[in-house]
Amino acid sequence: MEDKRAVKRHNLYSSVWVRDGGSGIELGQVYDISVHGAQVVGNEPFEKGRTYKLQLELPEEILGKKEALLDALCVWASRDLNPSYFKAGFRFVDRGTFIESIVGLIHEYTL
C-alpha cells in the first residue's frame, strides 16, 4: 500500500517510552513519529477523540529537557496485529521547532 503522507514518518528501532503527562501512567512505546504526529503501541486501549498529554522519554537532552510533554489528539485507535496490544495514531496539537528537534533526535538515535 502506498504511503501518501506529506511528511515522512520515522519508524523507531529502539524504545521511546510514552507516559500520560497527567497521571504518569505508562501508555506504551512510540512506533513511528513525524513533526505532525506519532503512532503509539501499548497494553491498554486508547480513546479516539481524546486529547492526551504525551510525555516522551528522550534519548538525549533537548533545550535542557530529557522529556517532552506534548498535547496530542488521538485520531484513530485499534487493536494491534498482535491481539495483546493496542495502537493509536496521534496528531500533535501544537507543532513547532521543539517537535522538529525531538523528531530529528529520535530519528538520529534509532538508525
Side-chain angles (χ1 to χ4, degrees), residues 45-52 72-78 87-90:
F46 298 93
E47 186 180 335
K48 180 182 174 184
R50 176 180 163 198
T51 298
Y52 288 76
L73 175 66
C74 181
V75 293
W76 62 266
S78 66
K87 60 185 178 179
F90 291 92

Side-chain angles (χ1 to χ4, degrees), residues 9 16-19 26-33 37-44 46 54 56 72 74 76-78 80 85-90 92:
R9 285 195 174 229
V16 175
W17 292 97
V18 181
R19 296 186 179 283
E26 186 178 288
L27 296 175
Q29 292 180 309
V30 175
Y31 176 77
D32 66 25
I33 192 166
Q39 184 178 159
V40 176
V41 177
N43 295 324
E44 299 294 329
F46 298 93
L54 300 181
L56 281 65
C74 181
W76 62 266
S78 66
D80 190 52
Y85 298 100
F86 299 87
K87 60 185 178 179
F90 291 92
F92 298 135

Side-chain angles (χ1 to χ4, degrees), residues 12 15-21 25 27-34 37-40 52-60 62 65-72 90 92 98-99 101-103 105-106:
L12 305 185
S15 299
V16 175
W17 292 97
V18 181
R19 296 186 179 283
D20 180 288
I25 294 172
L27 296 175
Q29 292 180 309
V30 175
Y31 176 77
D32 66 25
I33 192 166
S34 78
Q39 184 178 159
V40 176
Y52 288 76
K53 276 206 176 305
L54 300 181
Q55 182 179 339
L56 281 65
E57 296 179 15
L58 303 176
E60 180 179 299
I62 298 178
K65 297 179 181 182
K66 185 74 173 142
E67 299 173 333
L69 192 61
L70 307 169
D71 290 333
F90 291 92
F92 298 135
F98 187 59
I99 289 179
S101 298
I102 292 167
V103 172
L105 175 68
I106 290 171

